[in-house]
Amino acid sequence: MPSTHLLLEEPIRMASILEPSKPTFFPAMTKIVGTLGSKSRSVEVISACLKAGMSVACFDFSQGDTDYHQETLDNLKVAIRSTKKLCAVMLDTVGPELQVVNKSEKAISLEVDGCVVLTPDQEKEASPQLLPVNFSGLPKAVKPGDTIFIGQYLFTGSETTSLWLEISHQRGDSRSDREGDFQISDKNLGFVRENLDGGGVAELKGEDVVCRVKNSATLAGSLFTLHISQIRIDLPTLTENDKHVICTWGVCNKIDFLSLSYTRNAEDVRQARQFLSELSDLAQTQIFAKIENIEGLTHFDEILQEADGIILSRGNLGMDLPPEKVRSFILCD
């Protein structure tokens, strides 16, 4: 295929771009997949990334809508034409990722030993006393004593931009009210009321989860990742929203790769491949399984057999495992 055609047209299916380079005097020893985010979506920055060796541009749909990412992709097309560098396109799904929603985008400061309520009511305003989350099944997934991380990855206990919470009480589980994994005693109830006073929390509802703040931190931005350490969330790996994005934006742009976030087992990959096979334009799209938790790590061998490639999310894995074990696994692999 003439190279001039590839350089002048929009990014097309180029799965072979990740194959080993042909022997030359200066062979490429590795390939670079770069995520185009808010600081790297201009034509100028993308052009610099291409010149530096970026082979695949990744579009992370946990941030931004289809219009936002289409604008970035259009900039990528311009950069490809101007630099005469090839670049494939990867769509990174959201998957069963839990998020804290901060519509106002105002910074939220929480103090150690304080109290905060996690609520599925996303219409509520985020505050130091109340954090809306995008999952209504939280009370059934957790129990008192479980730990939750919010914000940045690889929490060490010394950062001030990531939050460590401990579940104190979940109203949705009647056993915790009566039988006693955690009984909300008068003393604890007084603690909750004292810490929530004036925070816009009139009363605790059935799906609310009360947490104790384990470190002082300030959360800044509109969305924060919420990770429950070593707890399985009962949500599909390929969500309905992911499917909609693939059927629209993915088909329109003939994506070369699909990054399947939170892959937990080989069946996740098989289901995603079946879904792509039903979309004629994406039947040849390759699947990279993104392993982000203990369950995916446990099924690593079977996932490797089904996927076209593996992505290890060191950030999320580092919240389920000690960092040195994550590093050891990557080096051994």
Side-chain angles (χ1 to χ4, degrees):
M1 185 178 293
S3 60
T4 53
H5 175 74
L6 287 174
L7 295 172
L8 295 177
E9 296 298 326
E10 68 274 5
I12 63 172
R13 187 159 290 113
M14 291 179 274
S16 62
I17 204 165
L18 288 186
E19 293 178 358
S21 299
K22 294 180 180 179
T24 64
F25 188 69
F26 294 109
M29 302 304 292
T30 188
K31 303 293 183 178
I32 299 174
V33 179
T35 299
L36 300 183
S38 59
K39 302 294 185 182
S40 57
R41 61 192 299 261
S42 67
V43 174
E44 294 74 20
V45 175
I46 295 174
S47 296
C49 291
L50 292 172
K51 292 175 182 177
M54 182 176 72
S55 304
V56 179
C58 181
F59 295 79
D60 182 0
F61 274 81
S62 64
Q63 298 281 347
D65 56 17
T66 53
D67 290 338
Y68 174 89
H69 288 295
Q70 188 60 52
E71 182 179 334
T72 306
L73 181 54
D74 290 342
N75 289 344
L76 173 63
K77 295 176 184 180
V78 174
I80 287 175
R81 294 188 184 99
S82 65
T83 62
K84 294 181 172 57
K85 299 287 187 180
L86 295 178
C87 186
V89 173
M90 175 180 285
L91 190 161
D92 188 3
T93 65
V94 178
E97 180 175 85
L98 305 188
Q99 297 174 331
V100 173
V101 183
N102 180 20
K103 294 185 296 183
S104 71
E105 298 190 22
K106 296 179 181 178
I108 302 171
S109 296
L110 299 97
E111 297 296 328
V112 63
D113 289 331
C115 185
V116 64
V117 172
L118 304 180
T119 177
D121 187 352
Q122 297 181 53
E123 296 303 314
K124 294 287 188 180
E125 192 78 18
S127 72
Q129 293 80 24
L130 187 73
L131 297 177
V133 300
N134 64 342
F135 181 48
S136 61
L138 192 59
K140 296 180 180 179
V142 299
K143 64 183 183 302
D146 285 343
T147 55
I148 291 180
F149 299 94
I150 296 176
Q152 296 183 342
Y153 299 132
L154 287 173
F155 184 88
T156 65
S158 62
E159 296 140 343
T160 58
T161 57
S162 299
L163 190 63
W164 176 28
L165 304 177
E166 181 178 296
I167 303 294
S168 294
H169 182 68
Q170 76 270 41
R171 299 286 291 184
D173 187 351
S174 60
R175 291 176 303 170
S176 66
D177 287 336
R178 296 194 304 265
E179 297 175 5
D181 280 341
F182 177 90
Q183 280 205 327
I184 192 158
S185 64
D186 291 339
K187 179 180 178 181
N188 284 320
L189 185 57
F191 167 79
V192 170
R193 286 174 175 168
E194 178 183 352
N195 280 272
L196 299 182
D197 185 37
V201 185
E203 61 178 336
L204 295 177
K205 297 183 179 179
E207 295 177 330
D208 292 342
V209 174
V210 181
C211 302
R212 186 183 292 270
V213 180
K214 303 298 289 185
N215 70 295
S216 297
T218 298
L219 303 175
S222 59
L223 286 175
F224 319 111
T225 299
L226 185 152
H227 183 88
I228 309 171
S229 184
Q230 301 193 27
I231 297 294
R232 190 184 197 281
I233 299 301
D234 190 20
L235 290 172
T237 298
L238 195 64
T239 66
E240 290 303 314
N241 181 65
D242 290 329
K243 291 179 180 179
H244 174 73
V245 169
I246 294 169
C247 288
T248 54
W249 192 90
V251 169
C252 177
N253 293 293
K254 296 182 175 62
I255 58 172
D256 305 291
F257 302 100
L258 180 73
S259 171
L260 188 61
S261 295
Y262 292 93
T263 301
R264 293 175 280 203
N265 50 53
E267 183 60 26
D268 287 343
V269 181
R270 286 191 285 267
Q271 290 181 7
R273 200 176 299 282
Q274 175 62 32
F275 178 72
L276 292 177
S277 70
E278 296 169 1
L279 305 171
S280 57
D281 287 333
L282 301 184
Q284 301 302 314
T285 295
Q286 294 191 6
I287 298 175
F288 274 49
K290 198 172 181 182
I291 295 179
E292 310 194 51
N293 52 33
I294 287 289
E295 187 173 2
L297 208 54
T298 301
H299 298 110
F300 181 88
D301 289 339
E302 66 176 61
I303 292 172
L304 184 61
Q305 295 300 314
E306 291 292 334
D308 298 298
I310 296 285
I311 298 174
L312 293 174
S313 178
R314 294 171 296 169
N316 280 335
L317 283 172
M319 291 188 286
D320 270 359
L321 292 170
E324 65 272 13
K325 287 196 174 184
V326 177
R327 181 176 182 272
S328 175
F329 173 79
I330 293 173
L331 291 177
C332 290
D333 181 63

